[in-house]
Amino acid sequence: MSSEVSSEDRSSNRSQRPNSPEFRKFIGEDWGERPAGPDRLAAADYTAARRAALGKEFAGTRLVIPAGSLKVRSNDTDYRFRAHSAFAHLTGLGGEKEPNAVLVLHPTGDEEETHEAVLYFHPRASRSSEEFWADSRYGEFWVGARPSLVEMETLTGITCAHIDQLPDALEKDLGPGQVQIAVVTDSDSQVENQVSELRQRAELEAGQLDAKLVEAASELRLIKDDFEVAEIQKAVDVTFSGFDEIIAALPRATGHWRGERVIEGAFAAKAREEGNGLGYETIAAAGNHANTLHWIVNNGEVKAGELVLVDAGAEVDSLYTADITRTLPVSGTFTPAQKTVYQAVLDAAEASLAKAREKGVKFRDLHNAAMEVIANYLEEWGCLPGTAAESLESGQYHRRWMPHGTSHHLGLDVHDCAQARREMYLDAELKPGMVFTIEPGLYFRSDDLKIPAWLRGIGVRIEDDVLVTEDGAVRLSEDIPRTVEDVEAWMARILPERADES
């Protein structure tokens, strides 16, 4: 007898599932009526226009936009699902009910209505089915009730079909001189493989169609509609509340051996309570850790007299995120040295925002405006080998202490529209509906011998979220304190209240 054990046998090693016909009948009967189905998503009033705009760029091509698949975290447990941003943008979906769903825009041959949208997904099974009680990935007993086809159509305003119909739907009319096919890559490898096999069978060349679709879906998000702006504002407001919780947690953080994680946890709790969770991993960098740009280990102490740089954003249920950084004095007030560096960064942020408010400005100009301020301060402090003008013109020596960019687009991804062409992003003129960050910083490592001793160990970043309107650029995060005086007053308001509660 063979000693080999199949993967199916191994996967059922722990199962004690009853499987008799009597049990199957018993578990499938005598259930009450289901509650009323979901209401139409607010985003559904906007997604049809987004799909139409994308479709006009790909007449005659079937566009395949997968939501993505569940990712295994460990053994038989998955990470919490979060749909691919292109799928979320074009459907309004993105919660936990859509793993393995696929949006397909089928070409119609019509010049006006170039594509018909169909959403293929796995609807809930009946309560008399084995899936209902035995399937840990899709079963209602395990993951809750999934929408029916009718409910998903109501929710999204999109024609829906069972995922089992996808293979035939993808293959229809493919061939040279007929229908081409493109897929959003790096989302669902199984769907990508299906498309690749269909291309081979239909003798179609892949060419650059997939890359062009990814690029176009990314560029489609450069200009936000009213729904998107409102959702980003909602994310900013939740993030503000999260920073309140961070300040309130500082006394406990200073007494904890991993105080940075106390800060991280305080923000994460608020983001999850009021939204979908974190838009990205929180940076809670105290002291010299602030000089590591993406410090997400968050395992250090938080000491009185130091600064803590917190870069955090809440993602709301629609999957839009905020991206805010505030640098806080742990003791509630800035030291003279900290105040000096903080003011320099704040001046750079204000210069960048002022540039954003000018007419005809390109995205790259925001960074240049901030760098001019940064370079001038560094010259004043004796950090540069020459003048600020020389550094800005050629040497770029100031970038030793500010190595990242000043701005990036913001939306469904914290670094949104990242696949857009350069001429549509860095070299593009600012347009109403664009949402981006302004986030200059100065980072003086404790072992940096090119700077005066009084600067060493100080790291400051200030980041706000900005919307371009017809009347100019405005900060969506205007209410979150940012000046030296306002930050100190903000902290003074919160810390005594919590002290009284304890």
Side-chain angles (χ1 to χ4, degrees), residues 324-443:
I324 302 294
T325 306
R326 290 294 183 264
T327 305
L328 306 170
V330 174
S331 299
T333 56
F334 293 92
T335 67
Q338 292 166 355
K339 187 182 296 186
T340 298
V341 176
Y342 189 95
Q343 189 61 50
V345 174
L346 183 61
D347 289 349
E350 292 299 323
S352 185
L353 181 63
K355 179 61 68 173
R357 288 172 169 159
E358 297 177 10
K359 296 293 185 183
V361 169
K362 293 187 176 181
F363 191 75
R364 62 166 56 257
D365 296 334
L366 307 182
H367 176 73
N368 295 336
M371 289 306 94
E372 184 174 347
V373 174
I374 292 294
N376 282 323
Y377 270 104
L378 290 169
E379 178 188 356
E380 178 184 329
W381 297 335
C383 301
L384 300 178
T387 66
E390 291 168 343
S391 184
L392 290 163
E393 184 177 346
S394 57
Q396 296 289 301
Y397 302 113
H398 57 284
R399 297 300 299 277
R400 175 183 175 115
W401 300 284
M402 169 48 183
H404 60 79
T406 301
S407 300
H408 60 78
H409 280 267
L410 180 70
L412 284 166
D413 292 335
V414 65
H415 291 171
D416 208 23
C417 316
Q419 286 74 40
R421 289 166 291 172
R422 186 183 185 90
E423 61 266 30
M424 299 292 288
Y425 200 124
L426 271 180
D427 294 334
E429 186 175 314
L430 299 188
K431 300 290 185 183
M434 287 184 171
V435 179
F436 48 81
T437 66
I438 289 179
E439 52 174 312
L442 278 169
Y443 311 94

Side-chain angles (χ1 to χ4, degrees), residues 89 219-225 228 417 431-434:
H89 187 238
E219 292 175 355
L220 188 63
R221 303 201 302 272
L222 282 166
I223 305 296
K224 269 60 179 180
D225 55 40
E228 294 178 281
C417 316
K431 300 290 185 183
M434 287 184 171

Side-chain angles (χ1 to χ4, degrees), residues 169 172 178 355 493:
K172 185 179 179 182
Q178 299 185 78
K355 179 61 68 173
R493 281 196 306 271

Side-chain angles (χ1 to χ4, degrees), residues 238-297:
V238 174
T239 300
F240 188 2
S241 297
F243 271 89
D244 284 347
E245 295 300 315
I246 287 169
I247 294 172
L250 282 175
R252 191 165 76 86
T254 55
H256 195 284
W257 65 287
R258 291 202 293 195
E260 290 174 342
R261 292 203 181 171
V262 173
I263 291 171
E264 175 189 336
F267 184 85
K270 179 59 71 172
R272 185 65 178 152
E273 289 167 14
E274 304 296 336
N276 189 52
L278 300 175
Y280 53 94
E281 291 297 321
T282 298
I283 298 169
N288 193 51
H289 287 167
N291 298 309
T292 299
L293 299 181
H294 286 173
W295 177 260
I296 59 172
V297 180

Side-chain angles (χ1 to χ4, degrees), residues 145-210:
R146 301 171 59 75
S148 68
L149 290 171
V150 171
E151 287 173 346
M152 186 64 91
E153 289 185 349
T154 300
L155 198 66
T156 63
I158 303 172
T159 300
C160 293
H162 197 289
I163 191 68
D164 291 348
Q165 298 179 29
L166 179 65
D168 290 341
L170 293 183
E171 190 171 11
K172 185 179 179 182
D173 297 329
L174 286 186
Q178 299 185 78
V179 172
Q180 299 287 315
I181 191 167
V183 61
V184 170
T185 54
D186 297 325
S187 177
D188 189 320
S189 59
Q190 184 174 344
V191 174
E192 286 184 52
N193 290 338
Q194 286 181 37
V195 170
S196 179
E197 290 171 7
L198 288 173
R199 279 177 174 147
Q200 292 178 15
R201 203 179 309 161
E203 299 181 348
L204 291 172
E205 294 290 333
Q208 295 297 312
L209 265 180
D210 294 348

Side-chain angles (χ1 to χ4, degrees), residues 14 17 44 53 169 199 254 294 308 311 315 365 407 446 477 479:
R14 296 181 291 110
R17 180 184 303 152
R199 279 177 174 147
T254 55
H294 286 173
V308 58
D311 188 333
E315 178 184 89
D365 296 334
S407 300
S446 59
S477 48
D479 292 341

Side-chain angles (χ1 to χ4, degrees), residues 50-65 86 90 104-116 178-184 199 206-220 419 421:
R50 300 172 193 170
R51 295 190 296 271
L54 183 66
K56 287 186 184 302
E57 298 188 45
F58 294 90
T61 300
R62 179 167 290 126
L63 307 180
V64 184
I65 303 101
L90 294 166
V104 180
L105 303 186
H106 294 288
T108 63
D110 189 293
E111 291 186 6
E112 292 298 321
E113 300 285 341
T114 61
H115 290 76
E116 177 191 8
Q178 299 185 78
V179 172
Q180 299 287 315
I181 191 167
V183 61
V184 170
R199 279 177 174 147
Q208 295 297 312
L209 265 180
D210 294 348
K212 288 180 180 178
L213 176 57
V214 170
E215 181 181 85
S218 189
E219 292 175 355
L220 188 63
Q419 286 74 40
R421 289 166 291 172

